[in-house]
Amino acid sequence: MNAREKILNAIAANQPEAVPLPVIDKDTVISYNDVGMQFNTMLESIGGKAVCIQDLQVLKESVNADKATGKFIVNTIEALGEVDEYVSSLSAAQLEKLEKAYIKGTVGVAENGAVWIYESQMLNRLVPFICQHLVLVIDKKDIVPTMHHAYAKIDTAQEGFGVFIAGPSKTADIEQSLVIGAHGARSATVYIIE
Amino acid sequence: MRVGLFIPCYIDQFYPQVAIATLQLLEKLGCNVSFPLQQTCCGQPMANSGFAGLSKGCDKNFVKNFSGFDYVVAPSGSCVLHIKEHLEDQGHPKEAERIRNNVYELTEFLTDILKVQHINASFPHSVGFHNSCHGQRGLHLSSMTETMLPAFSKPEQLLNMVKGIQLSNPERRDECCGFGGTFCVFEEAVSVKMGKDRIKEHEVNAVEYITGGDVSCLMHLEGILKRKGSSVKTIHIAEILNSEL
Amino acid sequence: MAKHAALSEKFIADEPRTDWHDETLWFVRQKRDKAAHGLPGWEQLRELASQIKNHTLSNLEKYLRQFEQQAKANGITVHWAADGDEHNKIIHDIIRKHNIEKIVKSKSMLTEECHLNEYLLHQGIEVVDTDLGERIVQFRKEPPSHIVLPAIHLKKQDVSETFHKYLQTEKGNNDPQYLTEAARQHLRDKFIQSELAITGVNFAVAETGGFVVCTNEGNADMGAHTAAVHIACMGFEKIIPKAEHLAVFLRLLARSATGQAITTYSSHFLKARRGQEMHIVIVDNGRSKQLGRKDFRNSLKCIRCAACFNTCPVYRRSGGHSYHTAVAGPLGSIINPNMDMKANADLPFASTLCGSCSNVCPVKIDIHEQLWKWRQVVVAEGYVDASKKTGMRGMAYILAKPGMYRFAGKMGRWVMRTFPFMINNKLNAWYKQREMPEVPKQSFRDWYLKNRGK
């Protein structure tokens, strides 16, 4: 008998009598008066930065200004100008000098400041992690109160990869001292389009 | 109301004053109390050491002594919890069940059954309260800092009725003192360190006494206090509630 | 092998350091409290998580089959390993097949449990741990002392010395920011060159065949999205039925672990990226046996948040290494006896049974009750000192007989009153750092007969 059969048989023999699966009633969990404000507060508390904007003009200017510095900047958002499609085939070595990436998020979560990004939105799975600075863009209407609401809005089986990102990369592995910028982005800014 | 007084073995042998205070307090509050003379021990020392199988004799003796009372009351959360969770007597299963349901730790008996609103006691001293784990987390004598539920404390509710008392809590109000039954000798180093740390927090509050509902915890803390020559004393909650001017 | 009591005595010998360890972990517990207080419905959420896990355990076979089928449909190769050795061999085979030399690994307690690094090292293969804490202890050739904070037993001076030796950082520069930056640069190189990334799995979703990996540093993603091969290793209890259940567990996990509302990265892997190969190794290693132990099976509900470590007054004062196993703390003490009862017979006794662990557990494992039950099993199976057994037998004999008890009590009190040196000696563990209680002239029973006797 191979390991698979052995394990599954042992589990079948040993698992307890069936108990029912509880129902999650997401309407009974907390709701915030102002999910936008809660999102901002949470994000700032974890070292991120929230910027509310009325239209995309300021962002477009920001992308242009960044690109003008000659640094390696990646824009993946069509509404902000030319999309840097070529990054989808870049290797880690080629992305190593990535300074900043602009990525559109699908959902923002008020209770924890996280933003959901699909693989298609980041073009290359490495981009949001390997960049020094991460800029995420979400629509205010896409901010939901809790993770329960977030999972109702996304489909984790839709693409090969997706991620909730909450603020910049961090660690407290040395004496519990918080240090921002462990392996991933050193800063995370979320632009919220009103 | 017929109350059977259950006095844990180490209280009987080493801290009779706690048992006397408990008896007098219950009598003052109008209970008809008797102390079954053939009682010994609840069996916890064996059971907590992994020898629950050896506590059958204790169980049987316990049921023999405490059958027929309306309530069984003891000045120890730990021993009461053990009875509540583990008392079995195959010869007398009904009686064992009755006792499991009717056994009370002293302070919960006062607040929940006697519904004491007023105690004629006076103890004009600075007193630090020690939450004993089995009373607190086992019998739910007070709320616990780990859970997100409304705060309450049955023993503190009673202590606050005592005239002149200045009650304080250590910074970590429900951390274990490290007694832990046979843990106190088999894990001596950690046990003593835990006790020292509890004492340190009480000392910050300049207490004269440390009180609590379990003599076992207090005996452990007392041993450490005496070794370091501290002036802080330990006293069981029954002694404070029974104290008069 | 030295046991918990002896190892912790050694740890406590440095009292200021013990205090620091205790306070640092207590601080983490306080952060957890704050996060839990900040979330209305915390207790309901724990209950929900507990019920989902109970349901999952009771349908485990079905969900594992479903997960395997979905994962395969997503193009992932699924392997099964009955024990740690099989797990290590599966990984070794993949390494050999691709002729891989550069391997990075993010935190996976399962690979610690299976001693993967040592196994591969024996084959001449080096694995680079990329979690900062794990890299620190790897340099020092120590095991992690905590499942979430692997280097929590070390002070920044220790880390500075280690990094000076291995990463040529400035001698005496203890600034965590500086040291972390050095590790970032060092590990970036490792990531960029990596050919194989090994990660753990926090949650595997039966319905989708996907799995979730949570980190704050981003190290799992840096490796997994770079390397041509990604192997994710999971104990079979990581399974949950549906994606919507992730909401429950992700809300609880980081809040319980570090007091964060969520980890920085919660990465959802479903398929390999173009040109990449993805493997999942599903490991038993004693878990199916534990599933069959009625009293202990719900230890398999654990989501490895380590809240029980941080709250445990014994763990905080004895350090993770005193538990001499990959998973320390209260949780380790209820899972390790199942794996090797003889070697771990001491662990269920490394607790005062205070119950704080069960209260903080986000999936409501009755940890302290299982510790009590393990004590019974350990004794019943004979893994206890003969002297302890004899002592307990004698005690039980006396306590079951009221006459004997009173006689022994009188003797005991008489002995202690008359010849204190007979008790107060070095062999008495109580007396080493504590005075004996003062001995009264009479027992309560004596008093009662005198004062209330008819």
Side-chain angles (χ1 to χ4, degrees), chain B residues 12-13 27 37 40 47-48 50 52 145-146 148 172 175 184 187-188 193 197 220 223 227, chain C residues 4 15 19 29 32 43 316-317 356 372 375-376 399 405 413 431-435 444-445 452:
Chain B
D12 175 47
Q13 293 295 321
E27 285 174 344
L37 291 168
T40 59
N48 283 7
T145 55
E146 301 94 1
M148 306 299 133
R172 301 182 193 177
E175 175 130 312
C184 74
E187 288 266 4
E188 184 265 345
K193 179 62 183 144
D197 290 353
H220 164 67
R227 176 60 59 91
Chain C
H4 183 270
E15 196 165 352
D19 287 337
R29 153 80 204 271
R32 172 260 172 211
E43 298 300 334
R316 278 188 263 111
R317 290 174 183 81
S356 186
W372 189 88
R375 293 180 182 187
Q376 314 304 322
L399 291 173
Y405 161 74
R413 274 182 292 130
Y431 188 67
K432 214 171 139 192
Q433 300 185 72
R434 285 166 291 213
E435 294 298 323
F444 171 68
R445 188 177 184 275
R452 294 290 188 279

Side-chain angles (χ1 to χ4, degrees), chain A residues 91-92 125-126, chain C residues 75 94 97-104 190-198 221-231 271-279:
Chain A
S91 68
R125 291 185 190 183
L126 257 181
Chain C
I94 298 169
K97 191 181 123 203
H98 293 277
N99 221 351
I100 285 168
E101 282 174 358
K102 314 270 189 198
I103 304 170
V104 291
K190 302 289 180 192
F191 287 126
I192 305 295
Q193 297 167 18
S194 68
E195 298 162 311
L196 167 67
I198 299 170
D221 290 280
M222 288 292 284
H225 306 321
T226 297
V229 183
H230 174 188
I231 306 175
K271 296 174 182 170
R273 65 174 194 280
R274 207 172 48 230
Q276 193 192 28
E277 197 176 293
M278 199 180 270
H279 300 261

Side-chain angles (χ1 to χ4, degrees), chain C residues 9-35:
Chain C
E9 188 173 352
K10 231 164 90 186
F11 185 84
I12 290 172
D14 187 345
E15 196 165 352
R17 202 179 174 107
T18 306
D19 287 337
W20 170 80
H21 189 264
D22 166 61
E23 279 155 24
T24 307
L25 286 157
W26 180 254
F27 176 59
V28 183
R29 153 80 204 271
Q30 286 178 308
K31 288 197 288 185
R32 172 260 172 211
D33 289 353
K34 209 173 148 214

Side-chain angles (χ1 to χ4, degrees), chain B residues 183 187 189-191 193-194 197, chain C residues 3-14 17-19 21-23 25 145 152-153 309 312-324 328-330 333 347 349-351:
Chain B
F183 180 88
E187 288 266 4
V190 183
S191 172
K193 179 62 183 144
M194 286 168 69
D197 290 353
Chain C
K3 294 298 185 182
H4 183 270
L7 292 167
S8 46
E9 188 173 352
K10 231 164 90 186
F11 185 84
I12 290 172
D14 187 345
R17 202 179 174 107
T18 306
D19 287 337
H21 189 264
D22 166 61
E23 279 155 24
L25 286 157
S145 67
I152 197 66
H153 60 292
F309 290 48
C312 179
V314 176
Y315 175 86
R316 278 188 263 111
R317 290 174 183 81
S318 60
H321 293 155
S322 67
Y323 293 78
H324 55 78
S333 298
L347 296 182
F349 296 92
S351 161

Side-chain angles (χ1 to χ4, degrees), chain A residues 1-8 10, chain C residues 79-90 110 113-114 234-236 281-289 339:
Chain A
M1 198 165 28
N2 65 23
R4 178 181 181 275
E5 290 311 309
K6 212 160 74 186
I7 295 167
L8 287 170
Chain C
H79 309 261
W80 298 78
D83 54 33
D85 204 40
E86 274 187 27
H87 161 268
N88 296 342
K89 280 183 179 137
I90 289 165
L110 178 68
E113 173 190 319
C114 299
M234 59 178 267
F236 67 56
V281 188
I282 301 174
V283 182
D284 184 334
N285 203 31
R287 286 165 176 76
S288 59
K289 191 175 169 200
M339 301 214 234

Side-chain angles (χ1 to χ4, degrees), chain A residues 39 42-43 45-46 108-116 146-148 150-151 154 163-168 170, chain C residues 35 39 42 203 212-217 246-268:
Chain A
F39 179 87
M42 277 314 299
L43 184 60
S45 77
I46 54 177
V109 187
E111 70 165 319
N112 56 26
V115 174
W116 173 264
T146 73
M147 292 297 282
H148 303 293
Y151 278 101
I154 62 174
V163 61
F164 280 108
I165 297 184
K170 58 172 90 62
Chain C
L39 196 71
W42 177 259
F203 305 100
V212 175
V213 181
C214 304
T215 74
N216 279 321
E217 298 181 5
L246 287 168
V248 174
F249 294 107
L250 290 184
R251 295 184 83 198
L252 285 166
L253 178 62
R255 286 184 173 96
S256 299
T258 59
Q260 295 170 261
I262 191 170
T263 51
T264 304
Y265 305 105
S266 308
S267 299
H268 294 53

